[in-house]
Each structure stands twice: as structure tokens, then as C-alpha cells.
Amino acid sequence: MQELLERRKGLKRKILIVDDEAIEREILGYMLSDLYEISFADNGRIALDIIKQEKLTLSLVILDLHMPELDGYSLLEILRADNELRRIPAIVLTSEKGAEVKSLQLGAADFITKPYDAPDVIRARVQRSIELAEDSIIIHETERDELTGLFNKEYFFEYGKRLDYQNQLPMDAIVLDINRFHIINELYGRNYGDSVLKKIGGYIHESIQDTGGLACRFESNGFCIYLPHSPDLNERLEKHIDKYKNILEKQNISIRIGVYSDDGSGLGMEQRFDRARLACQKLRNNYSTSYRVYNDELHSKELHSERLINDMDKALAEKQFVVFYQPKYNITGDIPRLTSAEALIRWFHPEFGMVSPGEFISLFEDNGLIRKLDKYVWNEAAAQIRLWKEKYGFCLPVSVNVSRVDIFDQMLGETLERIVTANGLSHENLLLEITESAYSDNSLKLIDTVNKLRARGFKIEMDDFGSGYSSLNMLTSLPIDALKLDMKFIRNMCSNRKNLSMVGIMIEIARLLEVPVIAEGVETQEQMEKLKDYGCDVIQGYYFSKPLPPADFEKLIEKELNETSY
Ligand code: C2E
Ligand code: MG
Ligand code: MG
């Protein structure tokens, strides 16, 4: 902010002189014109039009009290009653006793008495009024967010745009969000949530004392910071993050920060914040404090995402989506046995080739398109189970993924029921995988949905167990039929004892809950054997097979049939 104010000192402020007497206007104009850019109005009505037009750039109005049409008092009243105009200070010109008090009461910043004092005195009063008004912009109470003391969103953007307009300085934009803030509220209560916001607001306040700039609270759990561009913004950010990160993480709080660093392309304030927000959104699934800077690559990724969204309907109609199947083997006996499969979607895009779910699932979750896609997969999987049943004479259960978004679908149970019935299957044939992290979206809703699905006879496998933010508490409140350990535990399990014990503990938890454990992402013999030792029931992973198209998967079924008598 200091830097801004200094730069502003170098610029010529705009002043409007309003007086019905031409000679008075000229004298004042003459005194001030070398320091300020002056415009004139000869009555209140014209003055009001000019003020409205130039509200963003006008620094001061000098106002005669007695004028035809609209006098100075009325104009003052209009200015002070208007949210946008009241920030422009007004100095009144008066020759009568008593008028000073009345005009100050009406919100005038100062007054100049006629006949005029020495030009130096007038210039000093004008300069002081402008400076006071510019400073008071920073401390006006009604423009603040009550909880954090930072600006509120509306004022922040209005003020920022005004600064841009006046100064044309390069500015950086930062968006800061608290990860899973609703969980903090839910677990520890709103008062605690408020105290977290206050604390982070305080840190931001402290930081901008160092960097300059302005900040606001944005929606419920976010903050925006607008600050003069600095080429070493990243280092500064890291310094600030280092300072606060540990304190926050001790309380299980982490933040994500999106940055737009001015690159001279002359974007408006809102566009800068759109870009910072996009960078911030890309960190949404992170659980630790991190930041990301917007760049062209992010922009082209965004365009790519747009393409995928636009292409989805056509892709469904043209069957560009293909369901692959990955086997799950039961390893409790001497020989691993094919016990079920997971349906995993693949998109064969005519232009981009095979697009993996990692690229589009969360994208489609953001806009709800996933519901359509999931139904497609459920139907395909159910039809496949039926086909294999007809072909091989037995039912190989297949699990399908139920997105966090589907949980909110009122018709979920009915839709699945219809699919199962239409294909002549029983509920246990179509297993449902629900990711653990859906619990943190809305735990009550998830518990309710899972209960209803189970009441219909569906079996629920909790996917990605251990990946999310949910508490062990969840396990007692959420009834499930199997636990699928998150892949990351398997990936690291053989690297040290700690990781290995972690897997052991999770298998123990499953034992307590009396549900089978599935380990996914198993790639090596070593992992397989250790899991078997720990009592893991089912294994899915490249060790046995990658996800396969139905025709290739059939070879696994046939192999299994040759080795056993199903
Ligand atoms: P997920 O449900 O946890 O699926 C397991 C993922 O692990 C799959 O990735 C699978 O290909 C991969 N995987 C299996 N074994 C191994 C292994 O040994 N090593 C490694 N590195 N990876 C292995 P995929 O197919 O890319 O799917 C990623 C995620 O996308 C899935 O994670 C699931 O959350 C989601 N997804 C996939 N298909 C669907 C769908 O039809 N609907 C919904 N809602 N989500 C889906
Ligand atoms: Mg899954
Ligand atoms: Mg999984």
C-alpha cells in the first residue's frame, strides 16, 4: 500500500470546482491548476452529472454553497447518501458565519472561506482533504467484514478497480481457501470455524503490511489479496507460508493458495482473480498447505477441460466410452481365485486418443455430468454381468463406482434397482464402490444413502479407505460391506516398517468391523505376500492384471474355469 500511495503522489489528481460565479471558478482554478487536473461546473445539477460520470477518478469536489438549481447543501446530502459517491471528499466554499458547522455536519471534508486565503493555505487544505480521503478508504468501518476486519468482497473489488484506474500499476492477485472448511465447522463447531477465519484474516493482515496491497474475505472460507506486482512474489509467499503453516497444521488446518502474477497483459482486476481462483481450484484435492501459480499451461488445460465437457454427450452417443474390467482375486486360500471385477471407464476420444478417468472424473463431478456417465457405466456393467452369466453359467460380481455426486441423487436407489432388475441380476451381483472422501462432503447424507441402498440389498465397498479426512468415527456410523485400502498405502508399504504397520492397522480395523479387506494397486509379489500374511482377503492390481476390455477379461474367466470347477 505504501508503494501505491507513493506512486499515486506522482499523479495529477482530478478536482471538480463547482461555483455559479465564473470569476470565483477562475481564481480557484488558477491557484490549483499546476498541481491538479481541474474541471468546472456552474451549478449543482451539472456537477452531479460530472461526479457520477467520473466517480472512479475524481479525487475532490470544491463546492459553493449558494447556487441556482441544486445548491451546495443539497449536493452534499446527495453525495453522502450515495454509497459510491460518498468517498469523494468535498470542500465547501462559504462566506457566511455558521455555514461551516452545517456543512461539516453534512459530511464536508473541510471549508474554504471567501474571500480566499493565501493560495498556499488553500493548496494545503486541498491536499490534506485528498490524502485523508484516500487513507480513510482503508479504514472505513462499514466496508469491513465483521469477523476478520478485512474488507468485504464488494468494497474490495470496487476499491481495487478504482486503484487500477487511477494508477495503472501492475498488480498480482492471490486467492486463498481453507481446505475442507465445512468439515472444520462440522467437527468442532461454528465458533471454532470463526476463530480459524479470524486467525487467518490476522495473518493476511500482517502479511500485507509487509507486501502492501488490500485484502478481503471472499464467500465463507476464502480470502482475496490484491497487491502491487513483485517479481519475487513466490519467495515472499513461501516465506509467509512457512511462517504460518506449522501453527495451522497442528490444528489440522491447511490452506490452498492460487496466484496470478502480473505478466503485463493488462487484464482487469476480476480477470486476474478468475485466473488466481482457477489456480486455487486445481489444488482442491490437496490436504496440505500449498500454492499454485496460474500460467499458460493451466489456461490450456482449462481449454482442454472445456473441450472434454463439450464433447461428452456426443461421446456417449457414439460409444466412445468403453468399460474396462479389472479382476479382484481372493487370496485367503492356497491359490488366488477370481472373485469379482471392478468396472473402470475409459474414453477413446477421436482426437485425443485414450483419455484416462483421472482427467475427466473430477471435471464431470464439478458440473454434475458424472451422473449421466455413471448410469451409462452401471448399465454397461450390469449388461456385461448378464452376458457372462449366459455365456459361462455363473455370475461374476462386478463393482461399479458411485460418485460423491450420485449420493445426492434422490433416485439413486431406484435407478440401480431398475438396472439390476432389467438384467435379471440380484443386488449382490452389482457391488457399489463409494469413495471414503464422500463422507467429508456430507456425512449425514452419505450415511442415509448407504443405509437405504443396503436396505434394498446392495453391498457397499468403501473405496480409497485412508485417503480422506474422515475420522475413525465414520467407521462406526457408516455401515459397509467391505473396505478397499487406498492405493497409496500399498505403494509404500514395503519401503519401511512404519508404512507396513499402517497397513496392518487398517486390516485390523476391518477385522473389528467384521468386513473383508480389499487391497488395490498391488503390483509386486512382495506386496501380495505381505498382505496375505496380514490377513488381507482380496487383491486387485497390476500384479494380477491391468483393467481389460471385456474380450480380454474373458480369457481370465476361462482360465479360472479351467482351473476350478465353479
Ligand atoms: P478407483 O475406483 O480407486 O480405481 C482404481 C484405480 O487404480 C484405477 O484407475 C485402476 O486402473 C488403478 N489401478 C489398479 N491397479 C493398479 C496398480 O496395480 N497400480 C496402479 N498404479 N494403478 C492401479 P483408473 O481406471 O484410472 O481410475 C481412476 C479413478 O477414477 C478410480 O479410482 C475411480 O475413482 C474413478 N473412476 C473410474 N471409473 C469410474 C466410473 O465409471 N465412475 C466414477 N464415478 N468414477 C470412476
Ligand atoms: Mg473404485
Ligand atoms: Mg480406489
Side-chain angles (χ1 to χ4, degrees):
M1 186 50 55
Q2 204 50 42
E3 192 182 331
L4 269 183
L5 290 174
E6 256 145 44
R7 299 281 290 263
R8 277 195 285 178
K9 275 184 194 137
L11 289 162
K12 261 191 167 184
R13 300 288 189 279
K14 280 192 185 175
I15 294 181
L16 173 67
I17 297 176
V18 194
D19 201 315
D20 54 329
E21 307 255 1
I23 182 80
E24 304 277 356
R25 294 197 299 268
E26 267 164 43
I27 297 172
L28 269 180
Y30 179 72
M31 286 181 196
L32 298 168
S33 63
D34 54 339
L35 292 173
Y36 300 97
E37 198 182 313
I38 313 285
S39 48
F40 299 98
D42 58 12
N43 72 51
R45 185 105 17 232
I46 295 172
L48 187 57
D49 287 344
I50 297 177
I51 294 169
K52 280 183 180 163
Q53 259 169 36
E54 308 206 348
K55 64 183 178 206
L56 287 175
T57 52
L58 204 55
S59 291
L60 179 77
V61 181
I62 301 180
L63 187 61
D64 184 26
L65 285 177
H66 297 290
M67 289 180 297
E69 293 244 11
L70 187 66
D71 69 9
Y73 289 120
S74 318
L75 185 55
L76 260 184
E77 274 182 88
I78 294 173
L79 295 184
R80 296 311 138 210
D82 185 304
N83 257 345
E84 289 186 315
L85 305 182
R86 85 165 102 97
R87 281 174 213 103
I88 306 169
I91 294 181
V92 295
L93 302 170
T94 167
S95 49
E96 54 187 284
K97 281 237 172 310
E100 295 98 336
V101 178
K102 188 175 174 198
S103 33
L104 291 178
Q105 276 168 349
L106 282 175
D110 203 350
F111 53 86
I112 296 175
T113 42
K114 295 182 188 176
Y116 298 128
D117 290 317
D120 282 353
V121 176
I122 291 183
R123 285 194 199 116
R125 294 195 149 204
V126 164
Q127 187 188 339
R128 201 186 63 127
S129 293
I130 293 178
E131 278 175 5
L132 274 178
E134 287 182 352
D135 284 348
S136 76
I137 283 178
I138 303 163
I139 52 165
H140 209 296
E141 277 314 308
T142 55
E143 320 295 6
R144 292 197 180 281
D145 167 51
E146 251 176 63
L147 193 65
T148 60
L150 299 173
F151 286 148
N152 63 31
K153 175 175 108 189
E154 290 73 25
Y155 187 59
F156 172 81
F157 278 98
E158 196 185 316
Y159 179 31
K161 282 186 219 162
R162 188 158 142 189
L163 284 184
D164 280 354
Y165 200 90
Q166 282 174 352
N167 303 300
Q168 311 277 318
L169 279 177
M171 298 288 283
D172 297 334
I174 298 180
V175 166
L176 188 152
D177 273 342
I178 304 170
N179 290 323
R180 315 219 157 228
F181 184 65
H182 65 285
I183 296 288
I184 296 173
N185 269 335
E186 207 173 299
L187 284 178
Y188 309 111
R190 275 197 75 98
N191 283 346
Y192 182 78
D194 282 355
S195 75
V196 169
L197 288 169
K198 252 192 212 162
K199 183 179 281 180
I200 294 177
Y203 292 160
I204 290 175
H205 196 77
E206 237 172 77
S207 308
I208 58 176
Q209 314 247 294
D210 168 31
T211 56
L214 46 150
C216 76
R217 166 133 172 250
F218 188 86
E219 325 260 83
S220 62
N221 66 331
F223 297 89
C224 293
I225 306 162
Y226 201 41
L227 67 172
H229 173 65
S230 112
D232 56 358
L233 179 66
N234 287 5
E235 288 95 88
R236 285 184 183 204
L237 256 178
E238 272 160 26
K239 202 180 87 199
H240 286 294
I241 290 175
D242 274 353
K243 192 163 152 198
Y244 304 124
K245 185 176 158 165
N246 285 345
I247 316 174
L248 289 174
E249 291 194 347
K250 267 192 198 126
Q251 298 173 53
N252 284 332
I253 297 157
S254 65
I255 50 183
R256 54 181 186 274
I257 299 169
V259 177
Y260 171 77
S261 173
D262 196 296
D263 59 0
S265 52
L267 296 178
M269 183 184 188
E270 266 155 4
Q271 288 168 301
R272 290 169 207 256
F273 275 97
D274 284 347
R275 282 164 166 63
R277 191 158 303 114
L278 178 67
C280 189
Q281 273 167 6
K282 295 291 161 201
L283 297 169
R284 199 170 20 198
N285 296 323
N286 272 36
Y287 293 94
S288 59
T289 294
S290 48
Y291 78 95
R292 177 150 187 183
V293 182
Y294 176 90
N295 57 23
D296 287 343
E297 191 194 327
L298 201 60
H299 186 62
S300 44
K301 272 200 188 141
E302 195 57 15
L303 294 180
H304 180 65
S305 301
E306 278 300 313
R307 258 303 289 283
L308 295 183
I309 291 168
N310 286 335
D311 291 352
M312 178 184 159
D313 271 332
K314 188 160 174 264
L316 269 178
E318 292 180 358
K319 296 224 162 212
Q320 291 171 16
F321 288 105
V322 180
V323 181
F324 275 35
Y325 297 86
Q326 187 177 32
K328 299 182 192 174
Y329 283 87
N330 186 316
I331 55 159
T332 52
D334 291 341
I335 304 164
R337 288 280 161 247
L338 178 64
T339 173
S340 62
E342 176 172 7
L344 292 159
I345 189 84
R346 300 289 178 263
W347 184 351
F348 293 90
H349 192 283
E351 199 174 313
F352 307 134
M354 196 184 86
V355 188
S356 79
E359 266 187 69
F360 58 82
I361 294 289
S362 64
L363 188 66
F364 290 172
E365 281 180 339
D366 284 348
N367 52 28
L369 283 177
I370 190 72
R371 288 173 50 186
K372 225 193 239 184
L373 188 66
D374 274 350
K375 273 183 204 128
Y376 173 82
V377 175
W378 303 338
N379 272 304
E380 289 284 301
Q384 190 63 66
I385 303 171
R386 190 192 67 216
L387 272 176
W388 282 334
K389 188 173 158 192
E390 285 162 9
K391 189 163 173 182
Y392 298 111
F394 76 100
C395 229
L396 183 77
V398 171
S399 63
V400 291
N401 289 286
V402 175
S403 155
R404 60 177 78 246
V405 179
D406 298 314
I407 304 298
F408 294 89
D409 181 355
Q410 294 294 337
M411 303 295 289
L412 178 64
E414 272 169 53
T415 306
L416 287 164
E417 186 86 48
R418 218 174 330 110
I419 292 173
V420 164
T421 319
N423 289 283
L425 308 177
S426 68
H427 295 95
E428 306 92 70
N429 300 147
L430 191 71
L431 307 167
L432 307 177
E433 292 193 14
I434 299 180
T435 176
E436 183 221 58
S437 58
Y439 186 82
S440 46
D441 291 348
N442 184 335
S443 48
L444 292 178
K445 180 73 194 161
L446 181 66
I447 293 171
D448 181 52
T449 305
V450 164
N451 277 331
K452 285 183 178 146
L453 290 171
R454 290 182 90 236
R456 285 178 186 268
F458 286 107
K459 300 278 179 240
I460 310 294
E461 299 187 346
M462 178 179 286
D463 205 353
D464 314 317
F465 177 65
S467 67
Y469 213 107
S470 33
S471 60
L472 289 177
N473 193 16
M474 163 192 66
L475 290 171
T476 50
S477 53
L478 185 67
I480 47 156
D481 303 284
L483 266 190
K484 287 190 87 174
L485 300 187
D486 190 50
M487 245 186 311
K488 74 166 184 272
F489 294 105
I490 311 301
R491 197 179 307 133
N492 301 322
M493 66 180 279
C494 297
S495 62
N496 64 43
R497 282 187 57 83
K498 217 163 108 187
N499 292 339
L500 194 61
S501 325
M502 200 68 189
V503 171
I505 289 169
M506 296 207 287
I507 294 176
E508 209 46 48
I509 291 173
R511 287 281 152 275
L512 275 172
L513 296 172
E514 298 174 346
V515 294
V517 189
I518 303 164
E520 65 179 330
V522 177
E523 295 185 355
T524 66
Q525 173 109 22
E526 193 188 5
Q527 291 168 341
M528 214 281 281
E529 278 164 7
K530 291 237 160 71
L531 285 161
K532 193 174 157 89
D533 286 349
Y534 272 123
C536 176
D537 304 278
V538 175
I539 276 185
Q540 176 185 349
Y542 297 171
Y543 174 71
F544 285 114
S545 166
K546 290 196 166 181
L548 300 170
D552 292 340
F553 190 89
E554 288 184 0
K555 297 195 186 102
L556 297 182
I557 301 181
E558 285 158 17
K559 184 165 169 273
E560 188 71 23
L561 285 173
N562 286 335
E563 289 172 6
T564 53
S565 43
Y566 243 105

